[in-house]
Amino acid sequence: MLASQPRTTTANLPPVVARRVEAISGSGKNGGIALKSSQLHGLSKNMKCKPIRAVISGGDDKKVVDEAEEKKRQLSSLRRGDLDVRTVITIRKNIKEKITEKVEDQWESLVTSLGRGIMVQLISEEIDPVTGSGKIEESYVRGWLQRPENHPNIIEYAANLTVPRDFGVPGAILITNFLDKEFHLVQIVVHGFKDGHLFFPADTWIHSRKDNPESRIIFRNQVYLPSETPAGIKDLRREDLLSTRGNGKGERKLHERVYDYDVYNDLGNPDKGEDLARPIVGGKKRPYPRRCRTGRPPMEKDPLSERRIEKPDPVYVPRDEAFEELKQDTFATGRLKAVLHNLIPLIASKLANSDIPFTEFSDIDKLYSDGVPLGKKHDDNQWFVKMMNRLLSVGESLLKYDVPAIIKRDRFAWLRDNEFARQALAGVNPVGIELLKEFPILSKLDPAEYGPPESAITKEVIELELSGMRIEQTLEEKRLFILDFHDLFLPFVDQINSLPGRKTYASRTLLYYSPSGTLKPIVIELTLPPTLSSPRNKRVFTHGHHATTHWIWKLAKAHVCSNDAGAHQVVNHWLRTHACMEPYIIATNRQLSSMHPIFKLLHPHMRYTMEINALARQNLINGGGVIEACFTPGMYAMELSSAAYESTWRFDLEALPTDLIRRGMAVEDASRPGGVRLVIEDYPYAADGLLIWSAIKELVESYVNHYYSEPNSITYDVELQAWWHEIKNKGHHDKKDEPWWPKLVTKEDLSSILTTMIWIASGQHAAINFGQYPYGGYVPNRPTLMRKLIPEEGSQEYEQFLLDPECTFLTSLPTQLQATKVMAVQDTLSTHSPDEEYLNQLHELHRFSSNDQAVQKLFQEFHTKLENIETTINKRNKDVQLKNRCGAGIPPYELLRPSSGPGVTGRGIPNSVSI
């Protein structure tokens, strides 16, 4: 009888899914993500429905069919020699359901009990000689199983089928949802075949037939290359891929899962105001990677731009790319914090008729102790003070910032030159530093437009700072390094400086690597575009030896930091990880079947990326968004990002070892991790990163060798070749003709491409994202913009500077409103969600994606390597000889430690670009 047959429980779920359930019940050790979807109650035409009383009450009865009827059916099938098969469908609900949703659930339970809820069709891998396609057996689900204890958000439904003994092994299941709304399918388990339980991993939203009459195809957890696909499911493999591509027409609906390409034509909003018009990014004039097409209608004032959807309304992403419920809650909490930190200072500044600058360091300290600045408490804004008191009584902690790691141990660390330099190796943007290979330093910009290419940094200036050491010796010994933002920023400096309250230079900074093993900044060059009166508009600064030059040096360093923060945010962070990953994700879903081994390998590294990118277009990189309001490039941020893409981005140089070699930070050495030897051994980002890179590379190579053992199997894989062709020609269309694109012919080619993609999504993004608040949460350490140029001798500003240098410094930084906006965003972007899935969990995520034990062993070995790497990193952070990651007041370098808990931890490598 059905109630006594084997059933799937949460013990059968993949560990990550089980942890998600445990997070809801509070029974798990490590937590997990929450489960969401509409509640469904299924039926099967071979099962008697529960009494309506039981359906309405939630169904506590364990018996879901009449015992006599069940025995009769079993006896009949035995006489025919057929198989009794049971399909168990696992669905997850929302944690938080509204009253109306609960009523809908009960109504759907009643409707489904009458026989039309969810239909399942088993498709055999063998051909039916009559139809010429896979054999089919179908049934409606009819009834549900007992819920797992303490896991109210997991529901299991059953459908019984009788199939001929020669049916073969089912390779796919078609799911048709006859209900009025979608539901989230976790997995399907089929019992009754001789091979034991057959798993069909899903983790997908099943649309209502009212939205789309097509059934969803769910494949068994069996890996097949295209040429190996069983005949019975070959057509389904092709149909499933076609369904993800769409036809490139019309506006996408939120329930769809269509992946297609478009340019960034939705950043501006000229219909709302001319000041919000922005150029299209992507195309010959402003090259850029492509984003997901949404197909919205054009704007009225700019027919080439797409009409914007403003928050809180959602921007389309393919349905399965959207945040799950706990992620949404975490992000919403961050947004609430941002509202409290943005709206309140905005009101305060409006009351004061100005955007208030910091005038004392204590103003900044109050952000962590007293909370948001309220402005002066005049009689005419007592209502505002009363409102604040009410807010404070509701939740005072939401109005305060946590003390950032950079000042938690040493409040004055940011002032020191060695800390300024150390952060180039172990801070939030450790990918900008390069070895100075040649002298004099030359620009690659057009001298007719930007003046003489030679830097104003002379040999004499450098050697004076090196106490007489000859520059030739330092170059030979590889002791001079540079942070060079000159060519990136100079074409935009005049435009940026025309914006109100914003001033910048194009900067170069030379750093000396001392025999003691630490870096020291020695010379800073700040450049403005040439003018008729000043064709060589360059200023050179050194740290000096008296009070005035010390303060000037601090201002120069702050301008370098503002360049660095801008380049980090819109180039190294947004462009090189977020924007460049999106075409890989689109192509993977369009060209690789979910049965393809490369799809299964890449799938964990694509989670949430398209959703976070869509939110960025809506709130961060859009016209008037946070990036424009609070970072140096302002409204030219995306144009600057496009210029960087055009001049510097190359896929073949995105691999960590090749990037280090390109920047002169490493040389080839086959005996070292990643095949390179670091020029500065104590380079925390690179030293830890190479361990992670090597582990990923070894896993990928073993995985590829396992599935591509036959000669020419790479070139014969039609899906794989179409995938790589589309990435180059559609995803990165503006660079499709570049000669440096890797070929995809050998296993080595494929392994290299995949290792680069996985590194970018995991280690690279973690290293440059999760340190944003720990390092940038203290404004003087890392100002995201500067509001004043450095005063020149003889000017009135210079006289004011001499009288009050601290005031000049602080009023040059972002205003209180700008600072609190940035801090709120950085705090949110640095936060790990409770549902995060980390690199050291890949062995769990892949456990149910394939039943190949050899592959499971590869992922288990990878997990063990990452555990060892974490131990190594912990030891390094206690090694007093490693001065760039250890010392009095220095926060340990943990950004590439694989594991983390939720919150702002400054460590942990998620599998994907998920925030």
Side-chain angles (χ1 to χ4, degrees):
M1 123 181 129
L2 181 62
S4 63
Q5 290 182 11
R7 63 185 296 273
T8 187
T9 67
T10 50
N12 299 119
L13 297 177
V16 171
V17 176
R19 275 203 307 277
R20 296 174 181 179
V21 180
E22 290 166 356
I24 301 164
S25 64
S27 61
K29 294 180 180 180
N30 301 319
I33 71 170
L35 307 176
K36 65 177 179 179
S37 97
S38 311
Q39 178 180 359
L40 276 212
H41 295 284
L43 302 172
S44 168
K45 62 184 179 184
N46 295 319
M47 297 165 53
K48 232 180 196 180
C49 67
K50 293 186 176 183
I52 290 179
R53 170 187 55 77
V55 173
I56 301 277
S57 66
D60 295 328
D61 300 340
K62 293 185 178 180
K63 296 182 179 181
V64 294
V65 294
D66 181 84
E67 186 173 337
E69 288 292 328
E70 177 63 14
K71 287 182 177 179
K72 182 179 179 180
R73 187 186 66 80
Q74 292 177 354
L75 181 61
S76 175
S77 64
L78 283 172
R79 288 171 179 168
R80 295 194 307 267
D82 294 339
L83 295 175
D84 282 330
V85 173
R86 189 171 74 161
T87 300
V88 178
I89 300 173
T90 303
I91 289 173
R92 68 189 187 201
K93 295 172 49 184
N94 286 328
I95 306 172
K96 303 172 183 176
E97 283 192 305
K98 299 177 182 177
I99 296 297
T100 54
E101 290 177 324
K102 292 181 178 179
V103 172
E104 288 174 358
D105 285 344
Q106 299 295 346
W107 172 249
E108 287 177 357
S109 298
L110 175 60
V111 172
T112 306
S113 70
L114 299 177
R116 288 283 172 175
I118 307 169
M119 185 173 72
V120 297
Q121 296 172 288
L122 265 61
I123 312 297
S124 173
E125 292 185 347
E126 296 183 7
I127 288 287
D128 185 329
V130 176
T131 64
S133 57
K135 300 174 184 178
I136 301 178
E137 291 292 339
E138 68 180 46
S139 174
Y140 285 87
V141 299
R142 187 187 297 271
W144 58 93
L145 305 178
Q146 184 179 9
R147 293 187 184 185
E149 293 183 6
N150 301 320
H151 300 318
N153 298 88
I154 282 286
I155 301 177
E156 293 177 334
Y157 304 95
N160 276 18
L161 301 93
T162 301
V163 303
R165 287 192 177 274
D166 63 352
F167 182 78
V169 178
I173 294 178
L174 303 188
I175 296 287
T176 308
N177 175 11
F178 289 93
L179 297 165
D180 289 336
K181 60 183 181 180
E182 64 184 1
F183 62 86
H184 195 281
L185 177 64
V186 177
Q187 68 175 16
I188 304 172
V189 182
V190 179
H191 305 266
F193 286 91
K194 64 179 181 180
D195 294 332
H197 302 342
L198 303 178
F199 286 87
F200 292 74
D203 197 19
T204 185
W205 287 93
I206 305 297
H207 60 263
S208 169
R209 199 169 187 271
K210 290 184 177 181
D211 292 324
N212 181 355
E214 298 296 326
S215 301
R216 278 296 307 279
I217 305 169
I218 308 297
F219 293 106
R220 184 162 59 92
N221 65 332
Q222 179 65 44
V223 174
Y224 291 116
L225 293 173
S227 60
E228 301 169 343
T229 311
I233 58 174
K234 186 172 290 186
D235 288 344
L236 291 180
R237 181 171 187 148
R238 181 167 54 252
E239 288 176 20
D240 191 47
L241 282 175
L242 288 174
S243 71
T244 66
R245 298 173 192 167
N247 58 11
K249 299 178 182 178
E251 182 174 358
R252 299 269 66 88
K253 304 298 187 296
L254 293 177
H255 69 269
E256 295 178 323
R257 61 180 197 111
V258 174
Y259 298 78
D260 205 352
Y261 302 94
D262 207 346
V263 295
Y264 283 76
N265 62 352
D266 63 342
L267 301 178
N269 195 351
D271 289 352
K272 192 173 181 180
E274 291 184 5
D275 60 321
L276 292 176
R278 296 294 181 271
I280 294 172
V281 180
K284 187 175 181 180
K285 188 174 182 181
R286 296 179 185 86
Y288 218 62
R290 296 303 190 255
R291 52 104 171 169
C292 181
R293 179 185 177 276
T294 58
R296 298 192 298 270
M299 293 190 178
E300 294 180 3
K301 294 185 178 179
D302 183 3
L304 297 179
S305 292
E306 192 173 75
R307 189 176 302 165
R308 284 184 56 77
I309 294 181
E310 302 294 351
K311 56 184 179 182
D313 295 326
V315 175
Y316 169 81
V317 294
R319 186 64 185 95
D320 290 339
E321 305 296 335
F323 287 167
E324 297 184 28
E325 189 177 4
L326 194 57
K327 178 73 169 183
Q328 289 176 330
D329 288 347
T330 302
F331 200 78
T333 301
R335 288 179 64 184
L336 173 62
K337 193 170 183 179
V339 167
L340 289 172
H341 287 86
N342 296 344
L343 181 61
I344 294 169
L346 178 61
I347 296 173
S349 65
K350 292 297 182 184
L351 289 170
N353 294 319
S354 67
D355 194 356
I356 306 168
F358 293 109
T359 55
E360 297 178 357
F361 282 98
S362 58
D363 293 338
I364 303 173
D365 295 337
K366 288 176 182 177
L367 295 174
Y368 318 112
S369 58
D370 298 345
V372 179
L374 303 182
K376 296 179 180 179
K377 299 180 180 180
H378 294 309
D379 292 338
D380 59 355
N381 68 351
Q382 283 302 307
W383 65 272
F384 178 70
V385 177
K386 291 178 181 178
M387 180 185 73
M388 284 301 305
N389 289 334
R390 286 197 295 270
L391 281 171
L392 286 168
S393 66
V394 172
E396 186 175 0
S397 63
L398 286 175
L399 297 171
K400 295 179 183 177
Y401 287 100
D402 295 327
V403 178
I406 187 58
I407 60 167
K408 202 165 192 175
R409 301 185 181 192
D410 183 353
R411 288 186 59 199
F412 304 105
W414 68 276
L415 280 168
R416 295 194 298 269
D417 283 354
N418 59 1
E419 178 58 26
F420 170 89
R422 189 190 73 85
Q423 290 182 32
L425 300 173
V428 70
N429 189 34
V431 296
I433 187 170
E434 300 183 29
L435 178 71
L436 184 65
K437 300 173 184 177
E438 297 178 350
F439 192 85
I441 304 167
L442 300 175
S443 169
K444 295 179 182 178
L445 298 175
D446 182 1
E449 186 172 359
Y450 298 104
E454 295 84 9
S455 167
I457 300 175
T458 63
K459 177 180 178 180
E460 292 73 22
V461 169
I462 295 173
E463 292 182 347
L464 184 63
E465 294 303 312
L466 297 177
S467 302
M469 179 185 291
R470 296 177 65 249
I471 191 171
E472 291 81 7
Q473 180 183 352
T474 60
L475 293 174
E476 182 179 345
E477 296 178 1
K478 297 183 178 179
R479 291 194 174 277
L480 277 182
F481 296 85
I482 187 170
L483 295 173
D484 193 348
F485 302 111
H486 180 277
D487 287 8
L488 177 63
F489 274 87
L490 192 59
F492 296 92
V493 166
D494 276 344
Q495 294 167 291
I496 293 170
N497 287 347
S498 67
L499 300 173
R502 195 163 313 202
K503 298 296 178 184
T504 193
Y505 302 90
S507 67
R508 290 189 180 106
T509 306
L510 288 189
L511 305 104
Y512 173 65
Y513 183 58
S514 69
S516 66
T518 58
L519 278 175
K520 179 177 74 170
I522 56 173
V523 184
I524 293 174
E525 179 188 54
L526 299 180
T527 302
L528 296 172
T531 63
L532 291 177
S533 59
S534 182
R536 189 176 174 84
N537 210 349
K538 306 173 188 286
R539 299 178 67 183
V540 174
F541 304 89
T542 59
H543 52 75
H545 301 284
H546 58 85
T548 302
T549 53
H550 269 300
W551 273 107
I552 293 289
W553 177 247
K554 289 183 180 66
L555 286 168
K557 287 195 298 181
H559 273 282
V560 173
C561 287
S562 73
N563 272 196
D564 188 79
H568 162 261
Q569 199 62 263
V570 301
V571 179
N572 296 328
H573 181 205
W574 166 255
L575 168 65
R576 291 178 62 186
T577 62
H578 285 260
C580 284
M581 276 303 301
E582 188 152 345
Y584 311 151
I585 297 170
I586 296 172
T588 299
N589 283 277
R590 285 169 55 90
Q591 298 298 339
L592 298 182
S593 166
S594 60
M595 291 188 287
H596 199 290
I598 303 308
F599 179 94
K600 290 184 180 295
L601 178 67
L602 289 177
H603 187 258
H605 306 290
M606 304 187 295
R607 184 175 185 241
Y608 290 160
T609 302
M610 294 181 72
E611 171 84 341
I612 196 64
N613 287 1
L615 289 169
R617 299 203 313 274
Q618 194 174 37
N619 302 321
L620 297 178
I621 63 171
N622 59 300
V626 174
I627 301 299
E628 287 195 359
C630 303
F631 285 81
T632 295
M635 63 185 293
Y636 305 102
M638 287 299 287
E639 292 180 70
L640 185 144
S641 186
S642 170
Y645 176 73
E646 180 176 26
S647 62
T648 65
W649 187 86
R650 292 176 46 161
F651 182 89
D652 62 327
L653 297 181
E654 291 301 289
L656 177 60
T658 52
D659 174 62
L660 292 170
I661 292 171
R662 176 187 64 83
R663 291 190 283 120
M665 301 303 294
V667 295
E668 292 186 14
D669 186 340
S671 67
R672 300 292 187 95
V676 297
R677 175 173 54 82
L678 295 175
V679 171
I680 298 178
E681 291 289 344
D682 185 15
Y683 181 3
Y685 157 77
D688 294 355
L690 286 169
L691 296 179
I692 301 295
W693 168 273
S694 298
I696 295 172
K697 182 173 183 286
E698 187 173 341
L699 169 67
V700 171
E701 287 176 344
S702 299
Y703 187 91
V704 168
N705 286 331
H706 179 77
Y707 286 109
Y708 292 93
S709 57
E710 298 298 322
N712 302 318
S713 54
I714 298 290
T715 55
Y716 289 163
D717 187 334
V718 292
E719 288 183 6
L720 190 68
Q721 293 297 327
W723 168 77
W724 185 235
H725 180 270
E726 187 164 292
I727 285 172
K728 294 184 296 182
N729 291 277
K730 289 189 175 181
H732 288 272
H733 178 78
D734 303 326
K735 294 215 167 193
K736 63 183 178 67
D737 297 323
E738 296 288 353
W740 41 254
W741 280 105
K743 306 294 183 184
L744 183 50
V745 177
T746 67
K747 291 185 288 187
E748 291 74 21
D749 296 337
L750 178 58
S751 297
S752 176
I753 290 167
L754 294 172
T755 302
T756 298
M757 290 180 178
I758 294 172
W759 161 253
I760 291 169
S762 57
Q764 180 68 11
H765 179 259
I768 60 179
N769 179 72
F770 292 104
Q772 289 193 76
Y773 187 79
Y775 285 98
Y778 186 65
V779 181
N781 179 65
R782 191 172 175 79
T784 56
L785 60 80
M786 295 293 282
R787 302 173 67 237
K788 298 178 181 179
L789 296 176
I790 297 177
E792 300 194 42
E793 289 188 45
S795 66
Q796 183 177 354
E797 292 81 6
Y798 190 80
E799 296 301 321
Q800 293 173 341
F801 158 71
L802 293 176
L803 292 173
D804 194 345
E806 180 179 315
C807 182
T808 298
F809 179 84
L810 289 172
T811 55
S812 298
L813 301 180
T815 64
Q816 294 188 22
L817 175 59
Q818 290 168 331
T820 52
K821 277 186 176 182
V822 169
M823 291 165 70
V825 170
Q826 289 178 333
D827 180 72
T828 300
L829 297 181
S830 301
T831 298
H832 289 296
S833 172
D835 75 336
E836 196 65 84
E837 294 174 355
Y838 297 95
L839 198 59
N840 61 348
Q841 295 172 332
L842 279 178
H843 64 301
E844 297 176 351
L845 294 168
H846 283 278
R847 178 181 167 191
F848 277 65
S849 67
S850 169
N851 55 13
D852 192 321
Q853 294 302 310
V855 172
Q856 302 306 328
K857 183 179 178 182
L858 293 179
F859 284 103
Q860 183 59 52
E861 290 172 349
F862 178 71
H863 169 71
T864 301
K865 285 189 180 71
L866 291 185
E867 286 186 325
N868 294 335
I869 289 171
E870 186 143 356
T871 300
T872 299
I873 291 173
N874 290 337
K875 288 180 179 178
R876 287 175 174 177
N877 284 329
K878 296 177 182 178
D879 186 348
V880 295
Q881 300 302 314
L882 300 176
K883 299 181 179 64
N884 292 321
R885 65 190 308 152
C886 184
I890 294 176
Y893 188 78
E894 298 184 311
L895 290 171
L896 287 169
R897 269 185 59 181
S899 66
S900 174
V904 180
T905 64
R907 62 178 180 270
I909 304 177
N911 289 314
S912 60
V913 180
S914 58
I915 189 65

